[in-house]
Every structure is written in structure tokens, then in C-alpha cells.
Amino acid sequence: MEDSLPLWVPSKQRIEDSNIQQFIKHINMQSEHIDNFEMLHDWSIKNKKHFWLEIWQFCDVIGYKGDCIHGEAIAKWGEFYSSRDTIWFPQAQLNYAENLLSYAFQAPDEIAIWFKNERGQSRKITWQQLCDQVSVLQQWLKQNGVERGDVVAGYLPHMPETIVAMLATTSLGAMWTSTSPDFGVDSVIERFGQVKPKILFCCNGYSFGGKTHMMEEKNSQLVHAIDSIENTCQIDYLQTGGSDTFYNESFSDWEAILASYIPRGLRYERVAFNDPLFVLYSSGTTGKPKCIVHSVGGTILNHLKEHQLHCDVQPKDRVFYYTTCGWMMWNWHVSALASGATLVIYDGSPMYPMAGCLWDLAEEAEVTLFGTSAKYIEALEKARYDPCQYYSLTHLKTLCSTGSVLFPEQFDFVYSAIKADLHLASISGGTDICGCFVLGNPISPVYRGECQGPGLGMNVQAYNNLGVAVVNQRGELVCLNSFPNQPLGFWHDDGERYHNAYWSRFPNTWHHGDEVKITPNGGMVFYGRSDTTLNPGGIRIGTAEIYQQVNQLDEVLDSVAVGQLVDGDEIIVLFVKVAQHLDFDESIQEKIRNRLKNHCSPRHVPGRIYAVSDVPRTKSGKLVELAVKQVVHGQQVVNRGAIANPEVLDEISELFR
């Protein structure tokens, strides 16, 4: 049962000062009578063309939007809502980098990027310095023949050079794609090899958790394997001066490039609203990664909506998100520049060199929005680390959490251990839309265990198996209308794979693959991916229900649950990572069973429980339940390279021989 009383209610002043309240006032000047978020959301889906036009104007998008006297200039669609049949702003011309760097004209000497890594290195880059570096890289890329429609790739950590390279690329109307350096060479080839980049940016190494990882050999292997790469720029991130063993003299050097050109006024290649901007990749745990192509205009417009209206990002705010370049939250984070915000970046382990390293940066940089994952919040709780005991976090207004389900107990932890007066936004979307279907808003209450509600302009519902919208019942997360940030499609796909991925389950409806419930509060509870829903005895159980209980136990550091078919029925198999000082004995197993039986139901009790050295996750930290399920059933895992710790799958396989 959902809690009837909210954990947090915004003050009148917080509501009055918010961007979304100003947007409501703007809409009400047009003879509307909107009083709250629910009414605004209802208006946004009933007047979808008008809504997205107002977002363009309210968020000061730079570019030509077309002749908007006639609705066809905003959007046109046929019978279906897929990207082939829906075209948003068909006349518009704009540039992503131009929108992200526009604040430089207002405040050239203010900080645009505040960077720190686990080695203690720190840099602050002003808006003018950022524009100057983008100008230099733009000149270098043009000299290397990069132009509209080309692909440039980054095999890099989240650091200022990555942002500069991306902005220089997109300023020319070219496409940017990236992944993080913890991906193995084969996994990167599987991704970049499909999109054939002309230029590669990489680094000579990085550190994580106090360990140094050299990259020069991997970079050379990658360039040798992808023949489309015409030039490679390597960044001397570890400042070693180059390795004698693997240093590739044919690579260009970042510092040498910066010294070879004089910064000049940036010129932006404006492209069509629906031209490609980013290529993102599915996890690839069940096959070759899908290359998902996102548009220039859809990305700008949606990120501005999510940042300014849902997250209340305002000029001079300091926006932090712990992410890597292999996760769509990197793209989401860097877009905050378009709202005049400062990007605060940390590269390294979030718990190294100390448990509070991210909060130390948040305090020092006066972070206003702190973005992280539910797994990180769980790790803080397990470590019994309460940031509020060490930091006042005076400037912190919003905490965003995504990546996996944020359990009710974690809501409690945030408000007791981080900050009591805080807008906690549990958000959910994905690589598929480079944004969110469900997220927060700063003018509505926050209820324990619930995402606050759907994104503006998104008609998000929960469907039962008959395709009927239900409330206070579990169902499939769907979106019933078109939206500008729908992907353009998959790379080199005729539309069939794209249609089958999202549109084939329900007619004219985006099916996202999450099992959810819309609550009486209008919020949403997530139960996990619907394709990994457990079904013992015909009873549907979301894996998140199990993790919520099991991961609270002091003895358990992490867990993953899958279903195993036995004699025509399904039993739950649970794998747990136990605390290092403990032996996995019957008492721990019994504690797990009792916890699930008493807090959930007898159906939730696993038929088998095994201890493993770690829990398999993707590079971005998501559980790979499908891969574990394949191993349990003796099937081959197609793409082990997408998994951060694939050796654990071998460990699990041994248990089922």
C-alpha cells in the first residue's frame, strides 16, 4: 500500500520561484486556467503541438522553427506514431552546440565546467575558455574533412576534453557517439564498427578505485580494426608523456592541437530538426548492440523540458551527474549547458578515495542538482555513511536517481541521511529515447517509493495484457502519443527492427518493457523489466520486489533473481553477494527466506539461493538478469563483452553443470 502522506512538500516560495510555475503563468495568459502539475500535464497531451511550440519559445531555443502559423509546421503524422510517420518541426533549422554554448555571450568569465577526478586533479573552465577550445577543435576537425553527416567517436572518460570534442563535432552538423574506456576492445568494435567513425578521440589511460588502466594498446587495436578511422586524437590524461611500449606515433596529440590554432568566432552548421545528432547503444547483453539514432531537435527540446521544467535547472545552477560516456545520462548531463548551468563532473570511483568524495565535491562546488543511481544510494546506506553529518549541502535543491528502482527505504535514507528539504526525483526512461518517460517536478509532493509522474507532453499509461489502461494495478509502461525525442530509428535498419522493438506489442503505442503501477497519487511504482518478470505458480513477481527486501539485509551486499523452469513450472533462483567477513551458511539463507515470506509472500521465497563473488552488471551498472537466466538454462550468452564482470557468469554456470 502506498503512503498517503508525502515525504516532502515544496514550500510556497519554492513553487513560486520554479521555472515550471513561470511556464504555467505563461500558458494561463493564453486564457487557460492551470493550477497544478496534473492540469498542466493534461493540457500538454491534449494540445501536444502547441505544448512543444511553447517549450521552444519558453526555453529560448536558438534556431529557425519554421512557419508556425499552420500546425503542419510544428508536427505532422499519419496513422501510426512511429518516427517514419511522425515528423516534428519539419521546417526547423538549428544546431545542438550553438544552443549549448549560447550562455557564453551573457557570462563569458563564469564557470562552465567544474571537473575533479579521484586522483585529486581539479579544473575549472570558463564559458569563454570552453568556446575557445571548441573553436580550435572545430578547425582541426574541418581540416580533417569532418562535415555534416560524418560520425566522430569518443572512447573516453567523462572529462572536459570529451565535452569539447563533442561540441566541436556537433557544431559542424556531424554526429557524435561515445563509450567509456572500461569497455573492452571487442565491445567497442561491435559498437563503433557499425557506425564507421571518421575521427576517434581517446585517452592514454585512466584510473578507477585507485588502480591505473593504460589504454594505448587498446586504442591501437581499435584503430587497426576499424578502417573508417582517418585520424585519432589521443589525450594524455594520465600525463605520463606516453608509454614506450605501446605509444602510437601516428596519433595526434590533444595539447599539440590546442597549440596549433588560434581561437576564433565559432561558426555553427544549422541542420534540420530531424537530422541525426547522437548514436547511442543498447546494452548488447542479448545480441549485437543496437545503434539507436537520436535527432538534433528532439534531443535539444526534450532535454530543455526535462532540465528546466521537471528539474528546475536555472542559469548559474551547478548540475552534477555521476555517469560515464557509455550511458545516456552523459548526453543528458552535458545538455544542461543549454540552460546556462555549470557542469560539475567527477571521474573515478564514487566511493574512492573516501566514501564521501562525491559529497565533498558537491559541497565545494555548491551543487544545486545531484544526480546518481539507486545503487549508489544503497551503497551509502550499506556503508552507514550519512552525508548530512559532514556537509550542510546548503545549495542542494534536487536529487535525481535513475538506473534502477529506488526503493521506499531509500527514499527514507535520502531524507534522513542527506537532506530533509530536498526535491527527490526518481526518474526513468532510457537510451531508447535519450530522456525520461517518468520523472519529478518541483511543485508537487514526493511520496515514498513513487516516481512523481509522467513527463510533460508524454501520455504515459500502464496497460494490462488486453491493452487497457489501468490504475493501481500492475501493467506495462506504454506511451500513447508521439513525442519529438523518439529515436530516428536504428542504424542501417529499414524500420522493421525499430518497429518490432517498440511498436509491435500494442497498436499505435510505444511499449517500453517496464512493469509499473500508477498509484492513486498519480505517481508511478516500478517493479523491474517486464521481460524478466518472475512467474512462480502463475503469480507475476517483479524482481525489484525481491531486491527491495534482500538488499536491506546487512549480510547481503547485492543480489540478482531469475526464474528457472523446473518440471513445467518456474522457481525463483536467487544469487547473493554477501559481506566479505561472512560465510554463506544456512542461517543467512533462512534469514533471506523469512524476510521475503514475511514482507512479501510465500511465492517470493526462492527455490534456490546461491552465493556468488559478485553480481553481473553492465558497464553502466544495470543488472543483467537475462544473461543470468540464459546461463541458468544452459544457453549461450551472446555478448559477454557488454558485461562489466563476465567472469561471474562462468561462476554461475559451474553451479548448474
Side-chain angles (χ1 to χ4, degrees), residues 164-179:
V164 170
M166 180 276 293
L167 290 170
T169 298
T170 57
S171 72
L172 297 170
M175 287 174 272
W176 175 262
T177 189
S178 64
T179 190

Side-chain angles (χ1 to χ4, degrees), residues 96 158 178-180 183 278-283 292 294 299 302-303 306-307 321-336 402-403 427-439 485 512 618-620 622:
Y96 180 75
H158 188 4
S178 64
T179 190
S180 54
F183 275 75
F278 292 136
V279 181
L280 304 181
Y281 304 95
S282 65
S283 62
I292 307 172
H294 292 282
T299 301
N302 182 63
H303 285 178
E306 294 185 358
H307 289 155
Y321 222 104
Y322 181 75
T323 181
T324 72
C325 298
W327 190 19
M328 54 78 47
M329 292 310 299
W330 179 84
N331 309 77
W332 191 92
H333 185 211
V334 298
S335 287
T402 191
I427 65 179
S428 182
T431 300
D432 319 80
I433 62 170
C434 199
C436 302
F437 280 117
V438 179
L439 59 172
N485 55 303
H512 198 55
T618 64
K619 305 286 188 181
S620 60
K622 295 185 178 181

Side-chain angles (χ1 to χ4, degrees), residues 23 26-27 30 40-58 65 67-78 81 85-90 273 301 456-458 481-484:
F23 184 74
H26 171 70
I27 299 301
Q30 304 171 35
L40 177 63
H41 181 263
D42 186 60
W43 176 86
S44 74
I45 58 176
K46 289 179 179 176
N47 303 274
K48 45 190 174 291
K49 290 184 181 181
H50 188 187
F51 167 72
W52 288 107
L53 177 60
E54 293 294 349
I55 291 293
W56 183 302
Q57 295 172 334
F58 183 82
K65 60 179 171 289
D67 176 11
C68 293
I69 297 175
H70 306 291
E72 284 289 296
I74 303 171
K76 58 182 180 180
W77 46 70
Y81 287 126
D85 302 289
T86 305
I87 303 174
W88 286 94
F89 292 91
F273 187 95
L301 211 56
L456 292 169
M458 318 281 269
N481 65 341
S482 176
F483 44 93

Side-chain angles (χ1 to χ4, degrees), residues 12-245:
K12 290 183 179 179
Q13 191 64 49
R14 177 72 188 270
I15 293 172
E16 186 63 28
D17 292 343
S18 68
N19 287 327
I20 195 170
Q21 191 67 20
Q22 301 310 307
F23 184 74
I24 289 173
K25 289 179 179 179
H26 171 70
I27 299 301
N28 283 343
M29 290 176 66
Q30 304 171 35
S31 301
E32 299 292 339
H33 302 282
I34 297 170
D35 293 330
N36 53 44
F37 177 82
E38 290 73 20
M39 294 176 69
L40 177 63
H41 181 263
D42 186 60
W43 176 86
S44 74
I45 58 176
K46 289 179 179 176
N47 303 274
K48 45 190 174 291
K49 290 184 181 181
H50 188 187
F51 167 72
W52 288 107
L53 177 60
E54 293 294 349
I55 291 293
W56 183 302
Q57 295 172 334
F58 183 82
C59 297
D60 295 323
V61 174
I62 296 172
Y64 170 67
K65 60 179 171 289
D67 176 11
C68 293
I69 297 175
H70 306 291
E72 284 289 296
I74 303 171
K76 58 182 180 180
W77 46 70
E79 180 182 356
F80 300 99
Y81 287 126
S82 69
S83 61
R84 290 180 296 171
D85 302 289
T86 305
I87 303 174
W88 286 94
F89 292 91
Q91 301 174 356
Q93 296 281 315
L94 72 173
N95 181 276
Y96 180 75
E98 184 178 11
N99 277 272
L100 266 64
L101 293 172
S102 63
Y103 192 69
F105 292 102
Q106 300 181 45
D109 297 324
E110 291 182 3
I111 300 171
I113 299 175
W114 186 317
F115 170 79
K116 189 174 184 179
N117 64 22
E118 68 170 37
R119 302 194 300 277
Q121 296 171 327
S122 182
R123 277 184 284 161
K124 298 170 190 172
I125 299 173
T126 67
W127 285 94
Q128 187 60 57
Q129 290 170 334
L130 179 59
C131 288
D132 288 348
Q133 290 188 32
V134 172
S135 170
V136 167
L137 263 292
Q138 182 191 68
Q139 294 174 62
W140 182 77
L141 288 172
K142 288 182 71 173
Q143 187 175 342
N144 280 275
V146 174
E147 56 188 20
R148 179 175 178 170
D150 285 335
V151 177
V152 175
Y155 186 26
L156 292 166
H158 188 4
M159 59 183 185
E161 289 86 346
T162 311
I163 298 168
V164 170
M166 180 276 293
L167 290 170
T169 298
T170 57
S171 72
L172 297 170
M175 287 174 272
W176 175 262
T177 189
S178 64
T179 190
S180 54
D182 56 337
F183 275 75
V185 173
D186 290 343
S187 294
V188 181
I189 293 170
E190 280 192 322
R191 288 159 172 78
F192 292 172
Q194 294 185 68
V195 300
K196 301 189 179 306
K198 180 178 284 188
I199 303 293
L200 174 70
F201 288 91
C202 56
C203 66
N204 67 332
Y206 68 99
S207 64
F208 188 89
K211 296 181 179 179
T212 297
H213 302 269
M214 302 306 298
M215 293 294 296
E216 289 166 329
E217 182 182 16
K218 293 170 73 174
N219 297 337
S220 294
Q221 291 174 357
L222 182 61
V223 172
H224 180 74
I226 302 177
D227 57 12
S228 64
I229 297 174
E230 298 179 7
N231 203 341
T232 299
C233 173
Q234 183 168 280
I235 301 160
D236 197 18
Y237 184 35
L238 289 182
Q239 299 177 351
T240 62
S243 160
D244 293 335
T245 306

Side-chain angles (χ1 to χ4, degrees), residues 374-393:
K375 194 64 194 170
Y376 172 72
I377 295 173
E378 183 182 293
L380 288 178
E381 191 172 8
K382 289 281 185 185
R384 290 180 168 81
Y385 183 86
D386 296 357
C388 68
Q389 293 186 6
Y390 308 96
Y391 306 103
S392 61
L393 302 174

Side-chain angles (χ1 to χ4, degrees), residues 554-557 577-584 613:
D554 291 337
E555 295 85 351
V556 177
L557 298 179
K577 178 183 179 181
V578 297
Q580 290 182 350
H581 63 284
L582 295 176
D583 292 325
F584 184 66
S613 61

